[in-house]
Amino acid sequence: MTPYQTEQLQTLRMVRRYLAQISEAERETLKEGLSDYLAFRNAVDAFQEHYFRDICNRKCYQNKLSACCSRDGIIIFFAEVIINALMADSAALERLQDVLTHLHEGFKCVFLGHEGCLWRIKPIVCEMFLCDAAENAVLKENPVARKRWDALVRQKKEYTWPDRPVLFDTLEQICIEAGYTSPLMFCHNSPGLLRVKRQGIS
Ligand code: SF4
Ligand code: SF4
């Protein structure tokens, strides 16, 4: 196991322990708190499907290149592990744990399975990634799409950028108060994000 796999595995196990320890009603409350974010994610999905399906099919999916998933060690926030664990079934979470416990070789992301990404709600950094070729081919020629995409990129910050109370920070805080800690709690341990928080609050 790589250090990345170990960190991811420990966090996933911790999140599953936390979710198992709280009541069904508390889990439902957490899920209800995701509704805006999931609606945003659906909007991003719809946008990608509408504007990028053809080019991504042509360039990557038909030849199984999955160039988007050729990176190893992508940044994943702690909150994303909770969100995914709340939305995925236990078989899907077992599958994630399984790939994290096996030797990972090659240049593809450890979470890339035969049918695509193993996450139910994949990390936001993956969801919002556009390669230069795709971005230039679609957004350069289409100001309406450009404007819509820029709005979605701005909207992402409403959930992730802690210059105000945001979902990603809140989910970390809930687990910290329950006695858990993880290196993936970037809203609480990244010097850059802590600075953003301080400046946002002042
Ligand atoms: S965004 Fe670029 S790298 Fe990713 S699937 Fe589409 S064409 Fe491939
Ligand atoms: S987490 Fe999923 S979408 Fe992101 S790079 Fe890995 S396989 Fe691809």
Side-chain angles (χ1 to χ4, degrees):
M1 279 161 61
T2 63
Y4 179 79
Q5 283 177 286
T6 304
E7 197 172 61
Q8 294 293 325
L9 181 62
Q10 286 171 346
T11 302
L12 176 55
R13 283 184 172 149
M14 177 194 303
V15 161
R16 295 187 77 187
R17 271 202 309 280
Y18 168 68
L19 293 178
Q21 119 196 358
I22 62 177
S23 66
E24 182 62 34
E26 286 171 310
R27 279 194 295 277
E28 280 311 308
T29 303
L30 282 176
K31 274 192 193 178
E32 281 162 21
L34 303 182
S35 57
D36 274 5
Y37 179 66
L38 295 178
F40 161 69
R41 293 293 301 257
N42 284 340
V44 178
D45 275 346
F47 180 90
Q48 301 267 20
E49 176 71 13
H50 184 74
Y51 288 106
F52 288 93
R53 184 184 52 183
D54 287 348
I55 188 167
C56 292
N57 256 331
R58 250 190 349 266
K59 284 178 112 13
C60 286
Y61 302 148
Q62 279 165 6
N63 55 20
K64 306 235 180 283
L65 193 61
S66 293
C68 267
C69 301
S70 298
R71 299 162 292 165
D72 199 12
I74 53 154
I75 292 177
I76 295 173
F77 280 74
F78 182 81
E80 309 203 79
V81 184
I82 303 186
I83 293 167
N84 189 61
L86 282 165
M87 301 309 296
D89 60 28
S90 60
L93 297 178
E94 287 300 320
R95 186 84 201 284
L96 277 181
Q97 281 192 199
D98 196 45
V99 294
L100 288 171
T101 49
H102 286 88
L103 178 67
H104 177 60
E105 289 175 321
F107 55 90
K108 298 280 187 199
C109 171
V110 65
F111 298 117
L112 184 63
H114 295 301
E115 304 297 320
C117 181
L118 295 175
W119 285 61
R120 166 81 175 76
I121 309 291
K122 67 184 169 189
I124 191 75
V125 68
C126 307
E127 179 81 345
M128 305 292 290
F129 176 80
L130 296 175
C131 70
D132 290 346
E135 183 164 355
N136 287 337
V138 176
L139 299 187
K140 237 183 179 173
E141 307 300 325
N142 188 333
V144 174
R146 171 93 259 169
K147 200 171 165 196
R148 176 70 182 132
W149 179 247
D150 289 345
L152 288 169
V153 170
R154 280 196 302 278
Q155 196 181 351
K156 178 187 84 164
K157 286 188 156 192
E158 294 172 18
Y159 307 101
T160 62
W161 196 245
D163 58 349
R164 67 198 105 172
V166 292
L167 177 70
F168 278 28
D169 190 21
T170 304
L171 289 174
E172 286 183 13
Q173 188 61 37
I174 288 170
C175 283
I176 289 170
E177 284 168 12
Y180 294 92
T181 181
S182 157
L184 304 193
M185 290 175 168
F186 299 125
C187 294
H188 285 80
N189 64 21
S190 150
L193 290 184
L194 287 172
R195 203 163 40 247
V196 167
K197 252 174 163 173
R198 277 197 302 273
Q199 286 165 355
I201 290 164
S202 61

